[in-house]
Amino acid sequence: MESAASDHSIHNCRSIERPLLSPETTVDHDHHGKRIVDELDFFADNKGRLMEMRDQTVEVREEGAHDHHGVGQEKQLPDVNIGLNLLTTYTGSDKSSMDDGTSSSRNMEDKHRTNELAVLQAELGRMSVENQRLRVMISQVNNNYQALQVQIVTLMQRQQNQKADHQTPEQHQMINNGSVVLEEKQMMNGFNHIVPRQFMDMGRAEKDELSQCSLEGCRSQDCSGSPPQNDIVESMECCKSTSHVLHRDLSGRISTTNGGEDSPDQEFQGWVPKKVSKMMSPRDVDQASSETMSMIKKARVSVRARSDASMISDGCQWRKYGQKMAKGNPCPRAYYRCTMGTGCPVRKQVQRCAEDRTILVTTYEGHHNHPLPPAAMAMASTTSAAASMLLSGSMPSADGLISSNSFLARSALPNCPPSLATLSASAPFPTVTLDLTRTPTSSEMPLGQPNQLPPSFPQNMMSVPQILGQALSSQSKFSVLDSFQGLDSATHSLADKVNAATAAVTADPNFTAALVAAITSIIGNVHSNNNTNNNITTRNNSDSNT
DNA sequence: CGTATTTGACCTGCGC
DNA sequence: GCGCAGGTCAAATACG
């Protein structure tokens, strides 16, 4: 009976999706030759704007550089210069041959153009100053971030030393095992590179640490049935084990003794086969579930966007592994997993809104354990930061439990309009919802930014990096820090600077996409390109040299 | 033939 | 304990 209804519903929904798969619809092929059916390119508009902005930024910087040397405008502004020379030549050499009547009018025209030129020059000068100010701000942000990073590394090393001093005999035995020693070495070798990623993936790191622990637990205790992991997974797990130290120490919550180290919660094992969890003893499972599920929730980031496409393109490769009818929604929910990295734990659910089927709801869960292409960096960093923020806010601090709702609402997304980003810590999973189907009102726009976004979808998508950049790249990260460490003053001042920089950036929508994407990339992937923040300037410098 | 998708079955958690 | 719903698995199928 129900199945008949479900089938009917499925059929109905397919009738919605089928046209998208019809020959006249776009069936895309990415560079890997894999088929991507009718995706909405989430950052296509953004990318285009990024390219535009890059060019514009280069121009501004060139002008600004000349401006600082006090050089005249003729060299630096060839376009304007051409007009000026033409005017000068024209009014000078041909003046005698000109009719008197036309001559006076041309003089007026020349004066008018000269005034226009002066206005333009003043505008350029103002833009140059603004540009310089933004560069200084970004530089300050980067410096402060690096300083914090150093503190984190120092803290991690200190805690790791303490951990080594207090290792249980079991752990000593594990480390004496050859493979584990190798992992430890790899971990330490990649230490400096891992830190920023861990910093971003703190929320997931907690899950990952558990998966790592569960795997190690299998190796050390039930090695007989443990399936061999490939090298990639091994190395990734090494990274996770480092984050394990970081997060446990910072949160001060996860027990370092006996079963806590081996908590085999299947919920956090990424794509480890179920066989692994089944090999856990019931005692371990119980202990793990009691320890982890009581304090950890699965953080999710949900994005609502209007789209006729069956899936939004976020730069990652996804493989569909299931589809299910959800209660209360006639449209089926599709389940995807990331296939860009081996054993990547990231999943996403795609479902159309029951009330408005033009709205596509994409829910991300987990953090990528592999390098991401630039196109995927923005969304991945966003979801990572949002999930981390959510977990950090819902996790207890040293002073006690932080109310996730109030804490997050006030500190995590202070610049994000409530209508665009909402936080929910309700069961079963805490979720950040970014509603891209709405346009913020002027009163909702952060930092007094005027509402310049028409409600049409492509324009609306421009709000994504704004929201993400403001709310997640800056604020959420610091809220994570605040909840973990006693770096309040430093981080608050840093947050203030980021706020100021963000305010300056968002004041000019033309800069928003490029700068926010850059900042997001910096925060999300500092370890791989620690000078990414300088890329804006260095690249422009190199461009200006060419 | 290899890979991706589909889809029914199965597992798990939760409420009653 | 039972049923429901969400989530995942894996064999079957489709596709290039």
Side-chain angles (χ1 to χ4, degrees), chain A residues 30 34 56 81 86 100 122 127 138 177 187 212 239 249 253 278 295 313 325-326 330 363 365 370 408 448 469 484 524:
Chain A
D30 64 3
K34 296 180 179 178
Q56 293 178 11
N81 186 20
L86 286 175
D100 286 340
M127 290 176 64
I138 291 176
N177 179 296
M187 182 180 75
Q212 164 68 5
C239 301
D249 293 335
R253 286 277 303 180
K278 288 178 180 175
M295 61 186 174
S313 174
M325 292 303 301
T363 303
E365 178 184 317
H370 52 84
L408 290 172
F484 284 142

Side-chain angles (χ1 to χ4, degrees), chain A residues 231-391:
Chain A
D231 293 338
I232 298 175
V233 174
E234 287 282 343
S235 63
M236 290 187 298
E237 287 171 359
C238 293
C239 301
K240 294 171 187 171
S241 67
T242 311
S243 64
H244 166 78
V245 176
L246 168 67
H247 194 85
R248 174 178 54 218
D249 293 335
L250 293 180
S251 65
R253 286 277 303 180
I254 299 177
S255 171
T256 57
T257 59
N258 54 42
E261 193 71 17
D262 301 325
S263 50
D265 190 5
Q266 184 195 334
E267 191 93 75
F268 304 117
Q269 289 181 7
W271 293 108
V272 176
K274 279 187 173 180
K275 295 174 184 176
V276 176
S277 67
K278 288 178 180 175
M279 284 181 282
M280 308 296 173
S281 67
R283 175 179 151 272
D284 288 341
V285 173
D286 290 342
Q287 191 166 7
S289 59
S290 62
E291 283 192 13
T292 58
M293 293 309 292
S294 62
M295 61 186 174
I296 302 170
K297 292 180 180 178
K298 244 179 182 175
R300 292 179 173 180
V301 179
S302 183
V303 178
R304 289 164 53 91
R306 285 188 196 280
S307 172
D308 291 332
S310 60
M311 194 169 74
I312 60 175
S313 174
D314 43 27
C316 288
Q317 294 175 6
W318 302 94
R319 177 173 179 169
K320 190 175 183 179
Y321 66 89
Q323 180 168 301
K324 194 80 174 179
M325 292 303 301
K327 188 184 179 184
N329 193 334
C331 297
R333 177 183 299 161
Y335 299 90
Y336 296 86
R337 69 178 62 171
C338 177
T339 59
M340 291 192 78
T342 305
C344 180
V346 176
R347 288 165 289 181
K348 78 171 180 182
Q349 302 173 4
V350 179
Q351 188 176 31
R352 294 205 169 273
C353 183
E355 291 78 17
D356 186 354
R357 297 189 185 184
T358 64
I359 296 176
L360 202 62
V361 181
T362 305
T363 303
Y364 295 87
E365 178 184 317
H367 292 245
H368 296 280
N369 59 4
H370 52 84
L372 291 169
M377 188 60 70
M379 180 61 81
S381 300
T382 295
T383 55
S384 296
S388 300
M389 169 195 65
L390 207 51
L391 286 174

Side-chain angles (χ1 to χ4, degrees), chain A residues 40-341:
Chain A
L40 164 69
D41 193 345
F42 217 89
F43 294 96
D45 186 57
N46 188 22
K47 279 184 280 188
R49 290 174 183 269
L50 279 176
M51 294 302 294
E52 291 178 14
M53 289 314 306
R54 204 171 86 182
D55 297 340
Q56 293 178 11
T57 308
V58 171
E59 289 182 12
V60 170
R61 290 192 193 286
E62 287 174 349
E63 294 153 8
H66 287 290
D67 202 33
H68 280 283
H69 292 292
V71 181
Q73 302 296 322
E74 296 176 3
K75 274 191 176 180
Q76 43 179 301
L77 297 172
D79 293 340
V80 179
N81 186 20
I82 290 172
L84 185 60
N85 286 339
L86 286 175
L87 288 172
T88 306
T89 305
Y90 185 76
T91 55
S93 61
D94 296 346
K95 191 175 182 178
S96 58
S97 62
M98 285 297 178
D99 180 74
D100 286 340
T102 57
S103 174
S104 62
S105 65
R106 288 190 184 277
N107 283 337
M108 291 292 291
E109 190 177 348
D110 292 342
K111 287 180 182 178
H112 181 66
R113 289 181 179 177
T114 305
N115 288 337
E116 280 186 347
L117 181 61
V119 170
L120 284 175
Q121 287 175 349
E123 185 72 12
L124 283 171
R126 191 186 62 80
M127 290 176 64
S128 298
V129 172
E130 181 71 13
N131 189 25
Q132 289 292 324
R133 195 167 66 86
L134 286 174
R135 287 160 67 175
V136 169
M137 284 182 177
I138 291 176
S139 177
Q140 285 178 342
V141 169
N142 182 55
N143 290 338
N144 288 331
Y145 177 74
Q146 288 180 345
L148 276 175
Q149 184 180 322
V150 169
Q151 292 184 19
I152 293 287
V153 171
T154 306
L155 189 64
M156 288 173 61
Q157 288 173 336
R158 195 182 307 159
Q159 298 287 355
Q160 198 162 33
N161 291 336
Q162 292 178 2
K163 180 195 173 190
D165 294 339
H166 295 87
Q167 271 171 342
T168 65
E170 265 186 356
Q171 289 168 324
H172 274 295
Q173 189 175 358
M174 285 174 56
I175 291 179
N176 286 336
N177 179 296
S179 62
V180 178
V181 169
L182 176 62
E183 290 182 3
E184 291 284 331
K185 287 178 181 176
Q186 292 171 342
M187 182 180 75
M188 293 309 294
N189 287 339
F191 191 77
N192 290 334
H193 300 281
I194 295 165
V195 171
R197 174 76 184 176
Q198 293 163 346
F199 191 39
M200 281 298 299
D201 292 354
M202 212 165 278
R204 179 64 200 182
E206 187 153 17
K207 302 176 186 178
D208 291 341
E209 80 175 58
L210 294 170
S211 67
Q212 164 68 5
C213 292
S214 63
L215 288 172
E216 287 185 357
C218 282
R219 290 184 200 129
S220 60
Q221 297 173 2
D222 290 298
C223 290
S224 59
S226 178
Q229 307 289 322
N230 63 37
D231 293 338
I232 298 175
V233 174
E234 287 282 343
S235 63
M236 290 187 298
E237 287 171 359
C238 293
C239 301
K240 294 171 187 171
S241 67
T242 311
S243 64
H244 166 78
V245 176
L246 168 67
H247 194 85
R248 174 178 54 218
D249 293 335
L250 293 180
S251 65
R253 286 277 303 180
I254 299 177
S255 171
T256 57
T257 59
N258 54 42
E261 193 71 17
D262 301 325
S263 50
D265 190 5
Q266 184 195 334
E267 191 93 75
F268 304 117
Q269 289 181 7
W271 293 108
V272 176
K274 279 187 173 180
K275 295 174 184 176
V276 176
S277 67
K278 288 178 180 175
M279 284 181 282
M280 308 296 173
S281 67
R283 175 179 151 272
D284 288 341
V285 173
D286 290 342
Q287 191 166 7
S289 59
S290 62
E291 283 192 13
T292 58
M293 293 309 292
S294 62
M295 61 186 174
I296 302 170
K297 292 180 180 178
K298 244 179 182 175
R300 292 179 173 180
V301 179
S302 183
V303 178
R304 289 164 53 91
R306 285 188 196 280
S307 172
D308 291 332
S310 60
M311 194 169 74
I312 60 175
S313 174
D314 43 27
C316 288
Q317 294 175 6
W318 302 94
R319 177 173 179 169
K320 190 175 183 179
Y321 66 89
Q323 180 168 301
K324 194 80 174 179
M325 292 303 301
K327 188 184 179 184
N329 193 334
C331 297
R333 177 183 299 161
Y335 299 90
Y336 296 86
R337 69 178 62 171
C338 177
T339 59
M340 291 192 78

